[in-house]
Amino acid sequence: MQTQPLYEELATSISHLIQTGTMKGGERMVSLRDIARRRNVSMTTAIQAYRLLETQGLVEARPQSGYFVRMPERRLDIRLKEPPAMRPSAKPAPVTVSALIREMMTAPVDPTMLSLGSACPMPELFPGAAINRIMARLTRTRARDLDRYRLGAGVEELRREVGRRSIEWGLSLSHDEVIITNGCMEALNVAIRSVAQAGDTVAVESPAYFGFLQVLEASGIKALHVPTDPQIGMDIDALEALLKKQKIKAVVLSANVSNPLGATMPDEAKKRLCAIASKYKLPIVEDDIYGDLYFGEHRPRALKAFDREGWVMLCGSFTKTLTPGLRVGFIAPGRFQEKAELIKYTTSISTTALPQLAIAEFMRHGPYDKHLRALRRTLKDNVKLVHETVAQTFPEGTRATNPSGGFVVWVGLPKGIDTTELYRRARSEGISLAPGSLFTATDSYKNYIRIACGAKWTAPLDRALARVGAMAKEAATKI
Ligand SMILES: Cc1ncc(COP(=O)(O)O)c(C=O)c1O
């Protein structure tokens, strides 16, 4: 009779404890040394057993902390209702979010600040060391490629990698259709400036990522908010009704894992939106920066996958998945390719070659997919932990989104609480968060905050969130 290898036997008994709930999600595992001693097996057997449990998705290794039982897969805390879709004003409005953003950006940087504000995963979740090693090697082996102007759309190796990846997004972009940019922000700038100018009106989600609003503000373009559902994104019927009444130069949105709502449009809605783009000759700027951080079974298809006539300009970057510091993004501008190339050229001529080459190599030869899988798992667990703490510590009547991916939760507090005040108060106690007013060109969302959880979810971060909850409760007693 064939016997089970020792490490499998050990893994099976631990997995039984996890599956029966005897060992709970988040619990620290006995150290490898201790388990080896207790079970009278070698360290190699213990390591193999823990690795097997890791590949089964039952435990996770945290650097310098050991192994932990993974949080069970389940829906978010249902005690918290989702915020309702808002009916924003149907009038375009000039954008004025920059003063508050400036206040946030120019506040003294305190390295001990507990960050619930920044929508960027922390370096501890990125393969920074591997990318640095690649860059060090490239400076020796590709030195001649690095010290010259790189005219054109960017390093071909990276454009080819983006093309290969695009298969997963439901596309098949050729490298000629891709322009490399300095992050997604430059891609958005290029895209919006390719199709709209001062005085025009551009439709955005409600609430919308404040970066979209800043680009509009900087270009003197007015924003028109379209009602948006926290689960399925922009209301296409409402958009079409607005299009029938007024001139809208373009739409800017994230069809997948939007910021701050975390909404993902169903394929049917994406198809309809692309049909509307064709009917009204309406350019659409699609920001797919969070598309790879989905929580579902499959990578959601890009809106551009349904675009038959080239109206969709797809923008993305590696900021949320690999490294924010290297500033590498891209745009596939569809029918606006020539204009986009010109604007990219007149903005920054080209993007630095070294980071592009390094990212291309990591995508081609590094453990990119494995890294993305681990990142998605961590972020999904984080969102759940945020939900639990919000449900336990925030005032009665608080609502929170159930995002389809990413690492931000949009939290609605009882009406009357001023979250810009709450933001300033939290900041004075060393906690950052993003107040709701940042996400609109109108005066809505004053009682909303966006909580980001792109770091390892530690006890101090959890306490910081609970502290914000306590401040919100106190504010609720005064309304
Ligand atoms: C939706 C969205 N788009 C674009 C950006 C900016 O991306 P990048 O840093 O690549 O310019 C962010 C960053 O927070 C974002 O959330």
Side-chain angles (χ1 to χ4, degrees):
M1 194 180 71
Q2 203 167 10
T3 54
Q4 224 182 356
L6 268 183
Y7 77 92
E8 268 188 32
E9 212 176 275
L10 176 55
T12 308
S13 29
I14 297 173
S15 120
H16 178 71
L17 293 181
I18 296 174
Q19 267 150 5
T20 53
T22 309
M23 289 173 75
K24 293 215 161 58
E27 189 176 314
R28 184 195 290 275
M29 304 273 290
V30 177
S31 74
L32 287 165
R33 198 172 304 282
D34 276 356
I35 196 82
R37 190 174 42 75
R38 288 189 207 174
R39 288 287 288 235
N40 197 19
V41 295
S42 69
M43 271 296 275
T44 315
T45 302
I47 292 170
Q48 282 177 317
Y50 277 27
R51 290 221 174 111
L52 179 59
L53 290 167
E54 198 178 4
T55 52
Q56 291 168 343
L58 292 172
V59 307
E60 66 183 358
R62 298 187 190 161
Q64 271 116 43
S65 315
Y67 281 87
F68 288 78
V69 179
R70 286 205 55 232
M71 303 299 288
E73 301 273 329
R74 59 179 165 85
R75 294 284 291 172
L76 298 179
D77 196 313
I78 44 157
R79 278 174 293 172
L80 286 173
K81 281 199 187 138
E82 289 228 301
M86 292 277 199
R87 293 266 133 205
S89 151
K91 286 210 184 88
V95 185
T96 53
V97 290
S98 286
L100 185 53
I101 293 173
R102 216 159 163 269
E103 177 184 327
M104 289 176 69
M105 303 290 178
T106 53
V109 178
D110 175 357
T112 61
M113 182 74 84
L114 290 157
S115 177
L116 304 171
S118 167
C120 194
M122 291 293 143
E124 71 232 24
L125 300 182
F126 286 142
I131 292 184
N132 286 344
R133 273 195 302 277
I134 297 175
M135 288 211 284
R137 181 158 35 75
L138 287 169
T139 54
R140 294 192 304 275
T141 56
R142 299 285 298 265
R144 287 187 55 96
D145 286 328
L146 304 179
D147 63 356
R148 61 196 62 210
Y149 261 145
R150 281 266 185 174
L151 303 183
V155 165
E156 192 169 314
E157 286 96 318
L158 183 57
R159 288 186 289 121
R160 284 185 189 281
E161 283 315 312
V162 172
R164 285 195 184 101
R165 276 274 138 186
S166 74
I167 295 280
E168 267 181 49
W169 316 334
L171 284 158
S172 56
L173 293 174
S174 90
H175 63 288
D176 292 332
E177 294 171 285
V178 176
I179 306 171
I180 303 299
T181 56
N182 293 305
C184 190
M185 198 61 171
E186 190 182 52
L188 292 170
N189 257 291
V190 168
I192 292 172
R193 287 174 53 212
S194 295
V195 293
Q197 49 187 307
D200 287 340
T201 294
V202 162
V204 292
E205 294 140 314
S206 174
Y209 164 53
F210 55 78
F212 298 165
L213 298 175
Q214 278 183 295
V215 177
L216 301 186
E217 182 172 355
S219 313
I221 298 168
K222 283 178 272 186
L224 177 63
H225 285 285
V226 181
T228 306
D229 180 274
Q231 280 296 315
I232 59 172
M234 189 180 273
D235 180 338
I236 311 296
D237 293 326
L239 173 68
E240 188 163 23
L242 289 166
L243 277 163
K244 282 182 182 153
K245 283 199 213 119
Q246 53 192 305
K247 179 78 195 148
I248 296 174
K249 255 320 190 36
V251 178
V252 183
L253 86 173
S254 287
N256 296 328
V257 190
S258 62
N259 175 6
L261 288 179
T264 291
M265 268 188 183
D267 281 355
E268 227 10 77
K270 288 175 180 159
K271 217 180 278 172
R272 275 197 58 216
L273 181 53
C274 285
I276 285 177
S278 296
K279 180 170 162 195
Y280 292 86
K281 303 199 180 324
L282 177 71
I284 300 183
V285 178
E286 175 183 20
D287 181 343
D288 199 37
I289 195 167
Y290 294 104
D292 283 337
L293 299 181
Y294 57 95
F295 293 160
E297 295 273 296
H298 305 291
R299 208 287 185 190
R301 282 197 268 182
L303 177 67
K304 193 168 176 60
F306 301 90
D307 172 30
R308 300 284 160 260
E309 296 184 4
W311 292 103
V312 178
M313 288 174 271
L314 172 68
C315 302
S317 82
F318 301 96
T319 301
K320 314 293 180 187
T321 49
L322 270 185
T323 158
L326 294 186
R327 309 297 310 132
V328 180
F330 55 87
I331 171 169
R335 59 166 60 216
F336 304 99
Q337 179 92 17
E338 242 177 71
K339 189 76 192 275
E341 276 173 14
L342 176 67
I343 294 177
K344 161 65 189 172
Y345 182 84
T346 54
T347 310
S348 57
I349 297 191
S350 64
T351 296
T352 314
L354 180 59
Q356 296 185 61
L357 287 166
I359 289 177
E361 182 162 335
F362 188 82
M363 287 175 84
R364 188 111 179 97
H365 302 295
Y368 188 45
D369 285 310
K370 186 167 166 229
H371 156 69
L372 285 180
R373 277 196 298 277
L375 183 60
R376 283 194 292 265
R377 270 206 304 268
T378 304
L379 298 178
K380 192 173 179 184
D381 286 350
N382 282 2
V383 164
K384 196 155 59 57
L385 293 168
V386 163
H387 243 250
E388 279 172 9
T389 301
V390 169
Q392 282 159 18
T393 63
F394 276 55
E396 188 86 10
T398 295
R399 291 172 174 238
T401 49
N402 178 357
S404 59
F407 46 92
V408 298
V409 179
W410 180 242
V411 178
L413 301 173
K415 268 217 174 87
I417 295 184
D418 176 352
T419 55
T420 302
E421 276 306 306
L422 186 69
Y423 148 74
R424 291 191 181 122
R425 179 141 181 236
R427 179 140 208 141
S428 73
E429 294 193 19
I431 304 166
S432 74
L433 51 86
S437 306
L438 287 181
F439 300 87
T440 176
T442 66
D443 63 355
S444 40
Y445 302 121
K446 286 200 164 118
N447 55 322
Y448 281 75
I449 53 174
R450 187 193 69 181
I451 298 294
C453 53
K456 284 216 177 312
W457 196 252
T458 57
L461 276 174
D462 201 50
R463 278 198 297 274
L465 182 57
R467 178 69 196 121
V468 173
M471 287 180 207
K473 264 190 179 157
E474 199 188 312
T477 61
K478 296 184 187 147
I479 48 179

